[in-house]
Each structure stands twice: as C-alpha cells, then as structure tokens.
Amino acid sequence: MSHGLKLEGVGFAYKATQVLQDINVSIPEGQFVSLLGASGSGKTTLLRLAAGLDPVDSGRLTWNGAPVVGPSLERGVVFQDYALFPWLSVVDNIEIAIAKAKPTVRKADRQAEAGKYLRDLGLEAAIGRYPGELSGGMRQRAAIARALALGSPLLLMDEPFGALDPVNRARLQDLLLEVWELATPRKTIVFVTHDVDEAIYLGDRLVVLGSSPGRVIADLQVPLERPRERHSLLDSHPLQALREQVAATLVQDTLQRLKAA
Amino acid sequence: MSDFIALVNLPVPAATVPASAAEPGLERGWLSRALESVSVWIVLLLAWWVASVYLPLGDNPLLPSPLITANALWDSLPELWAGTLSSLTILIPGFALATLLGIVSGLAVGTSARLQRIFLPFAKVAGPVPPTVYIPYAIAILPTFKLSAIFVVFIGAFWPIFQNSVAGAHALEQSYRDNARILGLTRFEYQRRVVFPAALPHIFTGMAVGLAFSFILLTVAELFGANAGLGRFVQYYADFADYPKMVAGILYTGLVTFLAMTLLDRVRRRSLFWLK
Ligand SMILES: Nc1ncnc2c1ncn2[C@@H]1O[C@H](COP(=O)(O)OP(=O)(O)OP(=O)(O)O)[C@@H](O)[C@H]1O
Ligand SMILES: [Mg+2]
C-alpha cells in the first residue's frame, strides 16, 4: 500500500551541517501524526522537505507513491511564522488560496467561502482587516484558515497553536479534529508541537526527533479511542506512562546534546 | 499689495491661529511645534528682506526685495502656468515611462539569477552616468526638442527606479516566496501579487529619487532648446537681467517640485498603509 507519506532513509544538510539523517517514517493516508523534538532538532526542516520546498539530499520521499519534487496543492502547510501576505486583507489572503484550489469558482463565492473558514476559526471580526492589525494568535488562526481553504489531503502544520491562549487552543484542537474526522477520505496530518499533552490528545501516533543530527528517537502509537475526552485524558494509566516516556526521551536528548557541546 | 505680503508670509498667520484644543499644555505643544516647523522660513524671509533693503545693491539688484519679487511672481503667473503645462508634457511622459519600465524590468531582473547575470554588469556601468551628458546628443538625434527632453528625463528617472526595484525584489522574504510556492502561484501572479507589493517600499524610494532627478533634467534640458517651460523661464529672464522675474521663477519652480514630491509621498503612504 503506497498511499500516504513515506520517508526512506531521508537526509538533509544546510551547507556543512547535517540537519536530518536517515529518517524512516511511513505515514499511511488518513493518519494524524504528532511530531515532537527539541528546538533545532529539524522538525521544520522535515516539514519543508515533505512540502517540497527543499529537495532531500539523500533517501526517498514519496507522497502516494510519487517522489516529492516540488510544492503542490496536495500538500498544504501552516508555517511556524504563519507568513500571511501583509498587503492583502485577511479575507483576500484566504481567497487567494481558494482561487488556486478551485479556479472555476466565481469571485463572490470564493469570498463567501473564505468568510466561512474565518468564521469557523472565530475570526469574523477580522475579515476585512490586515494581518498587521491582528494579534499573533489571530494571524495564526488566519494562516490555519488558509491551509484548510486549500483543501489539501495532506496538512503539514508547524506549531500552529503556539501563539494561542489555552481556551482558544483547546477550541482549535477540537475544530482541527472535527475537520480531520469529517473529511472523507480523511486528511493526513503531520502536526508539530512542543506540548506533549497536545500531541497525545490529537495524534494517532507520536514521532520524536532527536537532535544533531535530527533522527527518529521514538515512534509510538497512542492507545486511545476516538472521539476523545479531553478531561479524562490524564486519568488513564497507559497515557500517563506514554506521556512520561515521551518527556523522558526529550529530556535525555537535550542532556546528551548539552554534554556533547 | 497686501495680498502679496500675505502670500509671501503665509506660514506666519498659520502659526498664530489659536488652536481649539481643550488642554492648554497640548495647545502650547502644538503651537511651538508649528512655530519650529516654519522658523527657518521666517528667518530666511527676514534676512532676505533686511538684505534687500539695507545693502547697497544698486538699481537692478541681483537680490530683489521680497515685495518686488512677489509682484513679479503675480505678474508672471499666466506665463508660469503655461510654462508649467509645457514642462509637464515632458516630465509626465518621461517619468511615467521610467516608472513603468523601471518596475517591470527591475522586478524581472530582481527575481531571476540569470537576468541578473545578464543585465547587472551593464546596469552597474550605465546607471551612474550623469544623464545630463546625453542632452546634446539626444537633441541632435531625436526629431523634436520635446522628444529628446522626454528621453533624457526618462533615462534619469529610470535607473533609480530600476535599481530600487531590483533591490526590493531581491530582498523578498523567504517566507513570502515559500507561501507563493505552496499556493502554486503562476510566475505572473507571483510577480503581481507577491513580489510587486513586497517591493513597493523600495520602489517608492526609487520613484522619489527618480522624480527629483526628473525635475533637474527637465530644467537643464529646457536651457538647451525649449521655447517654454519652467527652466526656460528662469534662463530667459536671467538673460534679460530681469532678476525679480528670475527669482520668482526659481521660487515657483521650487514650489512645483515640492508639490510633486508631496503628491508622490501621499500616494506612497496610501499604498503602504499595511506597512507596520
Ligand atoms: N536556512 C537555514 N540555514 C542554515 N541552517 C538552518 C536553516 N534553517 C534551519 N537551520 C538549522 O537546522 C536545524 C534544524 O532547524 P529546524 O528549524 O528544522 O528546527 P525545529 O525542530 O523546527 O526547531 P524549533 O522547534 O525551534 O522550531 C537547526 O540547527 C537550524 O540551525
Ligand atoms: Mg521549527
């Protein structure tokens, strides 16, 4: 079965620094993967490779069996710095994505659809405003709206909820799960986060990157039924064990790096 | 006659208009700031007036008094206005063409390593050549004076706009480029919706320099062969030693230049409202 995202012995270097080395991960279509790892371990780099923004230096990277050679509307990205175009209003930032994803839809309908995505993300008040006038959290939500508007079957999300307050964060986690669960076929999602609880609550699977060079140091299933109950999450013993294991892995990696330095 | 004094003294009454602001401290701040911004004008005007009255400058002084100058300005307004129109028929086509071609070619070169290798070595040599040196040749080659003047204005305005457009496109943030690639923008969409707006701050800098150059080149070109125009007006009355009219022409040209630069700045502010 070749559907999904597959990395086989993938390596990548920025000039002389080896950032990623021998990454082997196979993500079947429809899986929600949480990607963890210390700062600088190469999570963003991995997403850029999967998006086709940078070419792999070694190994093979395929999406649905075909090598990834460049960006495609099949693979949407929410960037860590959310990078909306500041000269376009929020709604136009979303519309430009819809215009590319659905070229035949008329402009008025595109605007309406963009408005719908923004309302879903609680941004109705920001529709006509410009990115520079918004808070970091609002910009982040607008960037998420744009990625959803692209309608890509693969979503690569780089710490998309990093700038949100806890209430909005919980709301958006549930919204993302809803979008993911309702779509047929299900979207494949790679979700980068530093928050272990968030990773467990959202993901089917946790992939942890170690640093210098970035490589997979843990790859674990999340033994939890869906739909999930947020407040019962921490009561379950297997989950507590999982959480501690991931946390310990991350601490150990950081200690090792400090020792090496 | 009192009209002319008011004309020349314009900043003074503006500064003494009482502000209706409620807070006295604020009002004083506003007033003193307004005074500061016109102080140089007041001092210069006073110095001019004192010099013209008390210095022994003879019957036809090179420095006519402010009143005489204002009078000459008033008398020359129709002629100056006709000169302005004549000058604008050179300035506007030259500057507009330079803006259009400067931006289009600048953005194209700025986003293509290959075009940079082809054109930048040439631009490095051709750009700094003072465009005034082309004037006699342009007049000799092109069929009318107007065309040659437009050409010279074009050359002078083109290079700063081109160079700043190249720099603006070159400085495009990686994140915008990545975004455009993710969205699958075509090359033209990318230029129009991403590179152009992102480079606009640079482009306006180039346009401001280009516009200032345009005025310089316009007035210089008019010294060579025009039969109307702002630069020609000043030269003409200087030849006849009519210094009040000459000084009036200088002041008037300064005002027109200032207005044009102000207009461009307005457009810049409007276009770059999104800039933080
Ligand atoms: N453009 C670049 N040029 C050179 N080195 C880079 C570049 N981008 C990233 N790196 C290096 O690659 C390594 C991985 O960076 P990356 O951004 O992928 O980390 P990350 O896991 O996303 O970190 P964070 O959690 O802080 O976002 C780092 O050591 C970083 O210094
Ligand atoms: Mg990162």
Side-chain angles (χ1 to χ4, degrees):
Chain A
M1 167 76 172
S2 64
H3 271 38
L5 186 70
K6 199 162 188 177
L7 295 90
E8 297 163 279
V10 165
F12 184 81
Y14 279 113
K15 304 254 160 64
T17 9
Q18 192 70 29
V19 178
L20 295 173
Q21 197 166 50
D22 194 28
I23 306 277
N24 291 287
V25 180
S26 178
I27 302 172
E29 190 179 27
Q31 192 171 58
F32 196 130
V33 174
S34 297
L35 183 60
L36 294 128
S39 192
S41 57
K43 304 180 295 297
T44 299
T45 307
L46 187 66
L47 288 199
R48 289 181 62 84
L49 298 181
L53 288 169
D54 294 317
V56 299
D57 286 340
S58 53
R60 242 170 85 82
L61 174 61
T62 56
W63 166 244
N64 288 344
V68 170
V69 288
S72 140
L73 291 176
E74 291 260 292
R75 297 179 307 262
V77 183
V78 180
F79 292 101
Q80 193 167 8
D81 55 9
Y82 24 98
L84 301 159
F85 297 126
W87 48 85
L88 295 182
S89 71
V90 170
V91 71
D92 287 346
N93 263 290
I94 316 299
E95 195 220 311
I96 195 174
I98 300 174
K100 295 311 289 185
K102 304 175 186 169
T104 54
V105 176
R106 286 180 317 135
K107 180 162 174 113
D109 296 334
R110 293 200 303 258
Q111 290 271 332
E113 189 176 339
K116 183 184 77 68
Y117 281 111
L118 289 169
R119 266 188 300 280
D120 284 350
L121 287 149
L123 284 175
E124 53 274 83
I127 282 178
R129 289 164 74 190
Y130 285 79
E133 307 172 298
L134 306 184
S135 72
M138 289 164 93
R139 279 204 289 273
Q140 211 167 22
R141 277 182 281 161
I144 295 166
R146 187 175 59 183
L148 293 178
L150 274 176
S152 319
L154 173 65
L155 262 186
L156 304 160
M157 308 180 83
D158 201 350
E159 291 184 53
F161 302 156
L164 297 177
D165 62 272
V167 176
N168 265 308
R169 192 173 183 135
R171 230 175 61 82
L172 282 176
Q173 287 168 350
D174 291 333
L175 182 89
L176 180 62
L177 284 181
E178 201 178 297
V179 169
W180 176 68
E181 279 162 3
L182 286 182
T184 41
R186 274 194 184 173
K187 286 179 189 297
T188 310
I189 297 184
V190 181
F191 185 99
V192 172
T193 177
H194 283 292
D195 181 338
V196 179
D197 287 344
E198 180 174 69
I200 292 173
Y201 178 60
L202 294 175
D204 294 318
R205 175 180 175 191
L206 310 179
V207 172
V208 185
L209 286 190
S211 20
S212 337
R215 68 219 180 277
V216 179
I217 52 171
D219 189 343
L220 309 154
Q221 297 294 320
V222 179
L224 189 59
E225 296 295 303
R226 293 182 193 268
R228 294 174 174 175
E229 285 290 327
R230 179 181 298 278
H231 41 268
S232 64
L233 198 67
L234 299 179
D235 303 341
S236 132
H237 284 295
L239 283 189
Q240 272 184 14
L242 179 65
R243 190 174 172 226
E244 270 153 33
Q245 187 186 345
V246 171
T249 311
L250 286 168
V251 169
Q252 204 186 350
D253 177 57
T254 307
L255 286 180
Q256 253 172 21
R257 197 172 42 156
L258 288 178
K259 226 181 281 170
Chain B
M1 196 52 101
S2 63
D3 283 353
F4 308 136
I5 297 168
L7 185 72
V8 176
N9 281 338
L10 201 59
V12 180
T16 49
V17 169
S20 56
E23 194 167 346
L26 248 179
E27 194 177 319
R28 208 174 306 127
W30 175 87
L31 197 63
S32 71
R33 254 179 287 132
L35 274 172
E36 277 159 23
S37 65
V38 296
S39 56
V40 173
W41 295 106
I42 296 173
V43 169
L44 280 180
L45 194 63
L46 280 174
W48 178 12
W49 180 74
V50 168
S52 65
V53 170
Y54 293 103
L55 290 183
L57 292 169
D59 281 345
N60 183 18
L62 269 162
L63 187 67
S65 81
L67 266 175
I68 292 170
T69 306
N71 220 339
L73 183 62
W74 178 255
D75 290 341
S76 314
L77 272 182
E79 198 184 339
L80 280 167
W81 177 242
T84 310
L85 293 181
S86 166
S87 291
L88 287 182
T89 59
I90 294 169
L91 189 93
I92 291 175
F95 181 68
L97 196 65
T99 302
L100 187 73
L101 291 185
I103 293 174
V104 170
S105 59
L107 296 185
V109 168
T111 46
S112 156
R114 179 170 206 192
L115 292 181
Q116 273 165 44
R117 286 193 301 272
I118 295 174
F119 286 107
L120 286 194
F122 169 70
K124 279 215 178 86
V125 176
V129 175
T132 41
V133 302
Y134 301 126
I135 295 175
Y137 202 31
I139 289 176
I141 285 180
L142 291 167
T144 65
F145 166 75
K146 197 141 255 182
L147 266 182
S148 26
I150 289 173
F151 171 76
V152 171
V153 166
F154 164 77
I155 294 283
F158 174 81
W159 287 113
I161 297 173
F162 171 81
Q163 266 150 2
N164 279 279
S165 301
V166 172
H170 205 76
L172 186 73
E173 277 179 42
Q174 168 91 25
S175 62
Y176 298 148
R177 208 174 330 164
D178 289 344
N179 248 308
R181 291 179 67 196
I182 291 297
L183 294 173
L185 298 188
T186 63
R187 193 166 166 78
F188 179 68
E189 286 170 329
Y190 175 58
Q191 292 285 353
R192 190 174 70 87
R193 301 204 68 175
V194 180
V195 182
F196 172 66
L200 261 186
H202 281 85
I203 290 173
F204 274 112
T205 306
M207 285 174 74
V209 176
L211 187 59
F213 273 19
S214 297
F215 272 98
I216 296 173
L217 290 163
L218 167 80
T219 46
V220 173
E222 281 175 349
L223 301 184
F224 279 75
N227 44 25
L230 295 173
R232 144 89 184 176
F233 180 97
V234 172
Q235 179 63 44
Y236 183 81
Y237 288 106
D239 287 348
F240 282 98
D242 189 340
Y243 300 122
K245 284 204 167 172
M246 184 195 77
V247 174
I250 292 172
L251 291 179
Y252 181 88
T253 305
L255 183 69
V256 170
T257 312
F258 167 75
L259 288 178
M261 297 301 286
T262 307
L263 182 68
L264 181 64
D265 195 56
R266 283 276 166 84
V267 176
R268 184 185 69 87
R269 276 165 204 263
R270 283 209 139 196
S271 315
L272 298 182
F273 66 93
W274 50 269
L275 209 63
K276 271 200 286 185

